[in-house]
Structures are given as structure tokens and as C-alpha cells.
Amino acid sequence: MATVTEKILKEHLKEGKMEAGSEIGIKIDQTLTQDATGTMAYLEFEAMGKPKVDTELSVSYVDHNMLQTDFKNADDHDYLKSVAAKYGILFSRAGNGICHQVHLERFARPGKTLLGSDSHTPTAGGVGSLAIGAGGLDVAVAMGGGTFYLTMPKIVGVRLKGKLKPWSSAKDVILELLRRLDVKGGVGKVFEYFGEGVATLSVPERATITNMGAELGATTSVFPSDEVTKKYLDDQQRGGQWAELKADSENYDEIIEMDLSAVEPMVAKPHSPGNVAPITELEGKKVNQVILGSCTNSSFRDLMIAAKMLKGKKIHPDISFSLVPGSRQVYSMIAGNGALADIISSGARILESACGPCIGMGQAPRSGGITVRTFNRNFQGRCGTKDAEAYLVSPEVAVAIALKGEFIHPAKLGAYPEIENEKPFIDDSMIMKPPKDGSSVEIIRGPNIKPLPEMKSLEEELKKEVLIKTGDNITTDHIMPAGAQILPLRSNIPAISAFVFSQIDPEFPKRAKEKGGGFIVGGDNYGQGSSREHAAIAPLYLGVKAVIAKSWARIHKSNLVNFGIVPLTFENPADYDSIEQGDVLEISDFRSAIRKGQVAVKNVTKGTSFTTKADLSGRAVDVVLEGGEINYTKR
Ligand code: MIC
Ligand code: SF4
């Protein structure tokens, strides 16, 4: 008798006890990387000296860094292609689609574990895979056959009943959960969906929900594998990979009830996916830009909703509307059935199948603009325009707004379109298979690919300044922004480090260097959002030794440990108030204090002192003392 999560974890458990809160080590069956985190992950994999990957399946996708404004991104694509051939990895070429969508369509399997160097890896939970996002280094270790360590999460059961009514969609289900729980409501938890309502949702709809579970801070989200999953895999000509997977117990740590028939169209308002309100609250507000796409909402169903709603109509003259198909599969399908023609003739701007505007690679809105997107994140500045306001909605709401020019409940525009299921277009010719023996493949390294910075073991005494003090819910987009200008530097740590905190404190990199490094002080849920380990490596390069925060987002905390930056947690959160930027903090006997789990910090400037917890597993303690995972594995 177990839940789906417990069944999968039990089958993959290598170390530890499955008790919520304690560290477990699991076997990883599949890995995925994307280009923006992949270059670093493969540099790390290379450094490990393994001849080949040791997983059932590893796939390297190119979907983020697609604007080729100079040589850098194209060089990275070639690097990734050559690494894949050398080490036995499938390579999904630029143009084949967004990693999560392609993985769901072609590779994700019920009951398997998947580790991906991208926070939206849980998308594969839509077919009952236990899919977790992690830093590149964790994925590199897993590619080498190594154990993946995580804190055993609490398992939250989300009981779905009823059926979505017209104009409400899967996006609204996850937005409703975000409304209830906010962006840290899922930290340390897996969200497992169950109940009669599950069968009413298609796999891509389930994947929209598990995808954006990342915004709850959840470890992952998962659906059971049932007849709907079987049909989906059959259609993908992968029926043989289906296995039934159902909870036979409701022994969840917590149960959330959700009546699908009561879900209304929702909107996440600026600047957080957790800032959710019903669409009715915003009706009448003028909009400048609408974009439909991203790994959350660009499935065949989502594109067809758009096509049906747009057929014979024109985009409002004050709106720029772009559409970004999630994969080459669905792009080909709408091209083949004529839907694309309806979309084009409405005045839509069609982009290539990739992350694109979701990661600020183009389509930045005008200054002070109001942009409405079907994406999963609306952090300030992420769209490329700092003073723009980004709103997150379902495809049906997005298209209604694109037609009307302002926020509107889509039901006001007519009858709900009927979408017929179509057989997917299957053509894996843009997924390159590695040769049997790749040992003679030469790795192609462009001039933008720089080696990793050197990592030193942890000092015994530390006396340094607080370089910055941040508020709550700081995202890795704040720490290490993305976008068309900065993303191409992902394989060049010295260059990218000049942009650390550039959205909130452009002087930070200069100050950190002048002061010879120091501390970061953060609030609650520090480091939420993207899995980018650059949010740890670049601060490390600038000399950051420790981050003291009230509480943590899972992936970023692991990334700090992986690169030898010590994450310390205020024992008494009120001590946060007594610290200011520029204060000199002193820690003595740092190494032994970390071993004991308690670190006393003296604020030399204020003449006060406070205690912090080094809330780390025994293995993580060894890793930070050695100055990071790479040193640790070497010794
Ligand atoms: C994102 O959505 O923020 C990204 C870009 O996909 C990131 C990965 C990255 O920063 O490269 C993520 O979600 O992990
Ligand atoms: Fe790409 Fe956006 Fe999905 Fe991240 S959230 S993987 S940037 S589409």
C-alpha cells in the first residue's frame, strides 16, 4: 500500500530512509539538459573523466540560447553536439522544441526517475515519471551513474473531483493552487494528484500542472499512469513503455481538495506567479502584448485553442501577439491541418519552437508595457523590459485578450471551441543518436567556453563584509539574470559574473571584487525559481563565501553546497533585522562549527552576535568543507 511517489522512490532508493525531512539517495534512470545550463553541466561531466554516460537515457536539448546574434550561442550548440556524440547522449537539435515538451512526447516514462538541469523538469510528471529539477553538477553526477541526494519530501495528495468547465483550463488549476499556497507553499513537498477528476485531464493538461508546480517551490509533482496515459503513449508510438501506476493508499502527509468544476480563469499578476487573482478582477485593463508559448502552455491542444479562437478574426490593433509552438511535433501538426494558416492570417507573429520570450530571448515589451503570457514565471525584468508588467494566464484567456485588446473573460467572446484529438506527427530526425563508440569524437570548443573557476576548501576564520542584503523570495533571476544579453555568457563565468544582481544592485560585482568577497544576507525562500547553478558559481567567482538567509529554495541551496558556498540559516529570523549591508561579520572555527551544525556569527560593526544553523546532511558538510562537490569527488 503506497502512493505513486512512494512506489517510485522505493524502487530507486539507494541510501537513507524514506522519512520526510531526512536525506535520501536515489538512482536516476534518465537525465535531460538544456543548452543554457548544459554547457556547464557537460564541462563538469568532462571534468569527472568518465568515458560515457551511465544512465538508461540521457538527452541534451538546445532550446534556450537560440538567438544567434554573434558566434557565442552557435559555438555552444556545436560544443553540446560534440559532447553528446562523444559520451553517448541523444542530441535534440535547435529547432526541435522545448526540452520538457519534447521529453514528454518522446521519452518520459511512467515509473522512471528523471533528473534535469532545469527547474521545470517535473513536466514529465504528466505521464507518471518522478521528474526532478537540479543544478547541472547534480545532473552531471547522475549522468555518470552517481546517486542523486535529496531531502525526502512530504507527500501532498491533491484530490481532483469533477471536470473543468468550458474556458477554464489546466493552467487555472495550477494558478488556483498557487493562489492558495503561494511560491513557497510547496517547499519540501511532492504534489501527487489523485481522485476521479484525474481521468478528465489529458497528458498535456497534466503536464501543464506538474510543470508549474515548480512555482510552488515543490520538489516535484506527479500524476498516476492510467488509461489516458496509455492512449497518449500509444499515439506517440510508445505504447510498449506504458505501465500502470496508481496510488493504492491515501496515506498522504496532507490532502488538498480541488473541485475542477469550480475552477475559474485566473491571472498571476506582477511580479510573482503566486500573486493570483480571478480574471474578473482585471477585466477592462488595456494590454500591449500577448504571447502564447513556453513549456507550460504550447501543446497541440493549446495551439488549436488559439487557432479556433482566431479563425476569421484579427488581432486587436494595439496588441502585438506572438505564438511559439512548444515542439516541432506540434508545429508540424498545426502546419499540416491548416490551423497555422488561421493563426497567421489573424496577424500573429510566429516564432521558432523554443523558449524564446519566456527567457527574455526576444519580444521584450515596450517600456512600461503590459504583457500577458501563457508562461510560468513573471519575475520583474525577466521579459527583458524592467518596468514592464507581466501577467500569466491560460491560452484561452491569452487569445481572448489578444482579440479584445484588454483583459476579458474569454466566455464573452463566444462558444468554447471543440478540439479533436489528432495523431501526433512523429519524426525524430532532429534527435541525433550518438555513435556506438564515441571515443574518437573531437570536442568543439569555441572561444566563449571558459574553464570552471578554481574552488578552494573552506577557511577556518572568516571576517568579511555583508555585500548585499535582500528581501524575501529572491529568485535566481535576481541573482543571475538571463535574457538575450546575458544568457550567451553561460559558459563563461568570468564574463557572466559582471551581471550578478544587476537587476537590483548593478554595483554588486564591483563591490564584491573590491572587498575581496564576503557575505550575502537573504530573507525567506532565498533562491527560488530557475535551477541555474550560475547563481552560485558566479557569486563564488566574486568571492562570496556564505549566504545567511531565513529559509531556502531547494535547488539553489544544493547548488550553493555543490560549489562550496555555505548556506547558513538564521536560528532566530529576527536577527535578520539587525544586519545592514556593509556590516563586518566574523566567524571563528568555521569548519568545526559547521560540523556541529551551529555557527556563531559576530557582527563586528554593530557589536552584536547571533547564531545560525548549518542545516546540512553529513555528506553536504563534507562537500562544503572541501570547497564543493568537484573537490569532494576528487579526494
Ligand atoms: C527558466 O525557466 O528560468 C530556465 C531558464 O529554464 C531555468 C534554467 C536556466 O536558467 O537555464 C530553469 O527553470 O531552471
Ligand atoms: Fe524554457 Fe521558459 Fe520553460 Fe524555462 S520556463 S524551460 S525558459 S520555456
Side-chain angles (χ1 to χ4, degrees), residues 267-341:
V267 183
K269 299 184 288 181
H271 297 286
S272 168
N275 188 16
V276 176
I279 177 82
T280 42
E281 200 179 280
L282 286 136
E283 274 186 300
K285 187 179 170 68
K286 293 264 177 277
V287 171
N288 307 111
Q289 182 193 50
V290 177
I291 311 181
L292 194 154
S294 91
C295 57
T296 318
N297 273 126
S298 56
S299 63
F300 176 69
R301 175 232 172 247
D302 294 341
L303 302 180
M304 285 308 292
I305 288 273
K308 296 254 171 160
M309 288 176 73
L310 292 172
K311 192 178 169 82
K313 304 207 176 108
K314 298 290 172 212
I315 301 298
H316 190 277
D318 296 338
I319 298 261
S320 161
F321 175 71
S322 302
L323 183 128
V324 202
S327 67
R328 188 165 155 269
Q329 178 177 103
V330 297
Y331 206 162
S332 307
M333 287 167 77
I334 59 166
N337 71 8
L340 184 58

Side-chain angles (χ1 to χ4, degrees), residues 2-5 125 155-162 173 177 190-201 206 209-210 221-226 245-260:
T3 62
V4 169
T5 312
I155 305 168
V156 180
V158 184
R159 191 197 330 261
L160 300 179
K161 68 168 200 194
V173 173
L177 266 185
V190 169
F191 287 73
E192 179 175 318
Y193 293 82
F194 73 107
E196 34 144 317
V198 165
T200 68
L201 298 171
R206 297 174 186 187
I209 295 172
T210 58
S221 303
V222 66
F223 271 82
S225 167
D226 56 7
L245 189 59
K246 270 200 223 153
D248 38 34
S249 133
E250 284 187 17
N251 190 18
Y252 295 107
D253 293 300
E254 202 182 305
I255 290 186
I256 294 176
E257 307 284 345
M258 171 98 63
D259 179 358
L260 294 174

Side-chain angles (χ1 to χ4, degrees), residues 64 98 100 118 120 294-295 355 358-359 376 382:
H64 281 64
I98 305 174
H100 308 303
D118 191 282
H120 293 105
S294 91
C295 57
C355 298
C358 178
I359 195 57
N376 48 36
R382 183 174 160 106

Side-chain angles (χ1 to χ4, degrees), residues 12 24 31 33 41 48 85 98 146 203 280 300 459 483 530 550 589:
H12 292 83
I24 54 170
T31 64
T33 57
M48 286 161 37
I98 305 174
V203 164
T280 42
F300 176 69
E459 291 128 70
S530 158
K550 290 185 191 170
D589 299 328

